[in-house]
Amino acid sequence: QVQLMESGGGLVQPGDSLRLSCVVSGRIFSAYAMYWYRQAPGKQREYVASINGEGITREDDSVKGRFTISRDKNIFYLQMNSLKSEDTATYYCHVNAAGIKYWGQGTQVTVSS
């Protein structure tokens, strides 16, 4: 019923910027928080940032000051600035709705010179 679809990934150079989008279909209540995660080859999926129904945001220390999560109606964004090679990963949007975990299919971000 709830579906998430990421887009906006690509190949960029260190220091460049990207904006990822996550389009949400189905009804999402305002109390549900949205999350961005990422997974690099050979590594576990890791938390990146979150936003709750009131717009309060959090971000992991690894991206703090560079990444910003935001929402515009049913679209969630991850603005990524000053990208580093360490940011290379598949990025996923995620929601935990009443105990049910939903994930998007992921979008690839590659940062390389």
Side-chain angles (χ1 to χ4, degrees), residues 1-19:
Q1 184 173 348
V2 175
Q3 296 185 22
L4 312 174
M5 185 171 67
E6 306 94 335
S7 63
L11 173 62
V12 297
Q13 298 181 31
D16 284 355
S17 297
L18 280 174
R19 176 173 284 188

Side-chain angles (χ1 to χ4, degrees), residues 71-85:
R71 181 186 70 246
D72 181 10
K73 297 185 179 180
N74 70 320
I75 306 175
F76 291 79
Y77 300 98
L78 185 67
Q79 177 67 46
M80 305 185 295
N81 299 326
S82 301
L83 283 161
K84 307 174 180 179
S85 60

Side-chain angles (χ1 to χ4, degrees), residues 40-91:
K43 296 184 178 181
Q44 294 187 181
R45 189 169 298 182
E46 64 179 6
Y47 165 82
V48 176
S50 62
I51 183 169
N52 71 8
E54 296 183 342
I56 299 175
T57 62
R58 299 284 189 274
E59 55 277 326
D60 185 75
D61 287 343
S62 65
V63 304
K64 198 174 187 67
R66 300 188 298 118
F67 291 11
T68 303
I69 186 171
S70 62
R71 181 186 70 246
D72 181 10
K73 297 185 179 180
N74 70 320
I75 306 175
F76 291 79
Y77 300 98
L78 185 67
Q79 177 67 46
M80 305 185 295
N81 299 326
S82 301
L83 283 161
K84 307 174 180 179
S85 60
E86 303 96 285
D87 298 318
T88 296
T90 302
Y91 284 72

